[in-house]
Amino acid sequence: MSGVVARFGKSADVKHIDRDLAKIHPVMRGAVCEVVLMCEAECLNFGMFEGFRSPQRQKHIYLQGRVQSRPGQIVTQHQAWHSYHQFGLAVDFALVVDGEFAFETPENYCQWIRLREIGEMYGLEGIEGEAGHLQYAGLELAQLRKGSYPGGGDPGWWENLRHALDSYPLSVPPKAPASRNA
Ligand SMILES: [Zn+2]
């Protein structure tokens, strides 16, 4: 097994839920930590359910409910490379109850509204229809797809993204950042 496969092998496993903060862009990583701390201060027990999501996994999730071989509810409107998760710029949060992740219900929905408000305090934004999803605000997907990323990227984030781009290329490959700190 090559070093790259050994290091990134799990990212192409479409069922693998990645919670590795190192694969999240540093600006997003900082905001995620602030959100978790602020939630704790308000006795809201939110944790990171999923961070980086490979384009292979995004495609897998997108097909659920859309092809005969993948019955079930439609869970996302976003195809591969159309979600901020592929760029390490989105995180899905979930409540942690008795050590298990728990999702939104009519009874706990006010907590998810507060999660989004807290995210907005730290430069994040929600998207319609996904209560636990927060992404870095003020970006354009089209720009991300062209390789224009927020400044402050680090090697852990970039090497993971580069591996994803190599293993599942965008139709128009983006340019690499001018430097790792671009
Ligand atoms: Zn999400």
Side-chain angles (χ1 to χ4, degrees):
M1 187 182 279
S2 77
V4 168
V5 172
R7 183 151 178 213
F8 295 109
K10 280 189 167 178
S11 66
D13 174 354
V14 295
K15 300 226 167 99
H16 177 66
I17 296 172
D18 201 311
R19 299 187 180 115
D20 185 354
L21 270 174
K23 296 178 186 172
I24 301 296
H25 190 291
V27 293
M28 182 71 195
R29 198 185 300 152
V32 166
C33 294
E34 298 283 4
V35 167
V36 169
L37 286 174
M38 185 58 126
C39 284
E40 272 176 20
E42 297 192 11
C43 299
L44 294 170
N45 203 15
F46 278 103
M48 182 168 91
F49 176 74
E50 181 166 12
F52 169 76
R53 184 186 296 146
S54 70
Q56 291 88 346
R57 175 165 160 75
Q58 187 71 37
K59 179 185 176 190
H60 177 79
I61 292 172
Y62 180 80
L63 289 177
Q64 181 176 317
R66 289 188 166 93
V67 292
Q68 265 195 340
S69 57
R70 299 284 314 289
Q73 275 201 323
I74 286 180
V75 288
T76 182
Q77 301 301 325
H78 305 287
Q79 301 198 45
W81 292 118
H82 285 82
S83 161
Y84 282 36
H85 284 283
Q86 275 85 77
F87 299 94
L89 288 162
V91 160
D92 290 338
F93 291 85
L95 284 168
V96 182
V97 180
D98 298 330
E100 303 276 340
F101 284 112
F103 299 92
E104 66 270 27
T105 64
E107 291 73 36
N108 68 21
Y109 205 73
C110 59
Q111 297 182 52
W112 299 79
I113 291 172
R114 184 59 189 152
L115 167 72
R116 186 170 290 198
E117 288 173 353
I118 291 172
E120 287 168 358
M121 290 163 54
Y122 293 103
L124 306 183
E125 63 186 3
I127 59 173
E128 208 173 313
E130 295 187 33
H133 175 105
L134 288 172
Q135 62 190 28
Y136 200 69
L139 305 176
E140 297 278 346
L141 183 67
Q143 293 302 311
L144 295 175
R145 287 172 55 84
K146 285 183 193 160
S148 176
Y149 311 120
D154 69 358
W157 160 77
W158 170 240
E159 284 172 23
N160 179 65
L161 175 55
R162 189 178 56 186
H163 172 74
L165 288 163
D166 286 347
S167 68
Y168 192 124
L170 275 151
S171 45
V172 180
K175 296 192 296 281
S179 79
R180 279 173 172 168
N181 292 318

